[in-house]
């Protein structure tokens, strides 16, 4: 068990190191292109996606027919 756990941590550390190193190199090489234009817009899409997905999740859960509203209705916190 400990051997497989150590291997998992080693693999996770190595892949993180490669990803961070590659990202830094790519960022340094592309920093002029990332300042403006279409490439800059496309590069920023992954930054906005987690917030958009979280907002849609919260909207779905707490909307009138969402799971959160149904649970609150069931416990009598809100009424229909």
């Amino acid at each position: 068990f400990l051997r497989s756990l150590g291997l998992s941590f080693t693999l996770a550390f190595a892949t993180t190191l490669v990803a961070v190193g590659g990202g830094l190199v790519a960022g340094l090489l592309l920093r002029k292109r990332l300042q403006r234009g279409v490439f800059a817009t496309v590069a920023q899409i992954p930054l906005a996606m987690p917030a958009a997905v979280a907002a849609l999740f919260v909207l779905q859960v707490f909307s009138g027919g969402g799971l959160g509203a149904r649970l609150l209705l069931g416990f009598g916190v809100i009424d229909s």
Side-chain angles (χ1 to χ4, degrees), residues 21-73:
L24 285 174
V25 169
L28 289 173
L29 292 175
L30 298 172
R31 69 178 165 203
K32 296 284 185 189
R33 288 186 177 177
L34 289 174
Q35 290 178 352
R36 59 180 72 96
V38 175
F39 192 70
T41 304
V42 171
Q44 292 178 9
I45 289 174
L47 297 173
M49 290 307 290
V53 170
L56 287 174
F57 175 74
V58 168
L59 179 70
Q60 178 62 30
V61 168
F62 292 110
S63 67
L67 179 64
R70 290 179 190 182
L71 288 173
L72 292 174
L73 181 66

Side-chain angles (χ1 to χ4, degrees), residues 1-11:
F1 171 76
L2 291 178
R3 184 175 176 200
S4 64
L5 187 64
L7 181 62
S8 295
F9 280 121
T10 302
L11 184 61

